[in-house]
Amino acid sequence: MNVKKLCEMQEVLDNRIIQEHRLEGQNLENNKILALLVEICELANETRCFKHWSNKGPSENNILIEEYVDSLHFFLSIANDRQYDVEHLYKVYVSDFEVQQQETSLVTAFKEVMAKILTMEQNQDPFHYIQAFAAYLNLGKMLGFTWEQIEQAYIKKNEINHKRQDNGY
């Protein structure tokens, strides 16, 4: 996954949104953190992993990966705002992936991602960011997504987000 390229694409989209919605000079991190949490919850809802009362299975993979990359937009946006070198952080994570991956349920993985996002919000440093991002990437692996699938889905959704802006979203 070319994280540097994705960060650059996200920066273009964010700058466009800021300019077109006249948000220059506003701190949008609280909004982005909440949006990130909401998108993670929307993904959890589509997996149905916590719905022990239902016999209905998870949504199709194309829906799951689209929900997954909605969260990726906000992770990258926050990293750009904080001026983190996400490419370096990603390489550190990927090189340690086999060591860090643990056997856990999807429910536990979702809760871990959300807890680490909230910790990242309170502790605004690269260490806590990569902890949250690594938990998020692990969730993607648990859902069966490859780095290539994630990158392609992100690019497709980024294009959709630009078209939405074109149409006054």
Side-chain angles (χ1 to χ4, degrees):
M1 185 162 56
N2 186 341
V3 178
K4 183 177 182 178
K5 174 184 168 184
L6 301 185
C7 283
E8 290 168 354
M9 291 175 68
Q10 186 62 46
E11 185 173 21
V12 169
L13 178 61
D14 285 345
N15 288 339
R16 178 180 181 182
I17 290 169
I18 288 168
Q19 182 179 27
E20 290 180 7
H21 293 269
R22 297 184 179 114
L23 300 168
E24 294 89 349
Q26 293 187 32
N27 183 345
L28 302 172
E29 183 156 315
N30 281 335
N31 292 4
K32 291 177 183 182
I33 294 285
L34 181 57
L36 175 56
L37 290 167
V38 167
E39 294 298 343
I40 295 289
C41 290
E42 288 180 7
L43 174 61
N45 195 48
E46 293 296 335
T47 69
R48 304 180 60 80
C49 64
F50 62 94
K51 295 187 177 187
H52 59 271
W53 59 87
S54 175
N55 291 324
K56 186 177 175 185
S59 295
E60 294 179 10
N61 270 355
N62 63 323
I63 293 170
L64 294 177
I65 198 160
E66 183 175 341
E67 290 295 341
Y68 183 82
V69 299
D70 282 346
S71 306
L72 181 57
H73 277 81
F74 292 105
F75 263 115
L76 298 176
S77 183
I78 291 164
N80 284 341
D81 289 348
R82 293 182 180 183
Q83 299 179 336
Y84 293 159
D85 182 354
V86 180
E87 182 178 36
H88 171 73
L89 296 175
Y90 171 77
K91 287 178 182 175
V92 169
Y93 169 74
V94 171
S95 67
D96 292 342
F97 178 72
E98 297 301 326
V99 175
Q100 292 181 9
Q101 189 173 12
Q102 300 172 357
E103 289 294 320
T104 189
S105 72
L106 271 178
V107 170
T108 300
F110 274 108
K111 289 171 59 180
E112 180 180 341
V113 170
M114 289 185 277
K116 289 186 177 197
I117 289 168
L118 292 172
T119 301
M120 170 190 82
E121 179 182 28
Q122 296 301 312
N123 301 286
Q124 297 190 9
D125 57 56
F127 173 78
H128 288 94
Y129 175 86
I130 196 58
Q131 290 292 311
F133 193 51
Y136 170 76
L137 293 175
N138 186 53
L139 181 62
K141 284 292 189 185
M142 289 178 71
L143 292 169
F145 305 142
T146 66
W147 304 131
E148 294 80 20
Q149 288 173 318
I150 293 168
E151 181 175 355
Q152 289 306 308
Y154 174 87
I155 292 168
K156 180 179 176 183
K157 188 62 185 254
N158 188 274
E159 291 171 5
I160 290 169
N161 287 340
H162 275 287
K163 287 179 185 172
R164 286 177 171 172
Q165 293 302 309
D166 291 340
N167 296 319
Y169 182 77

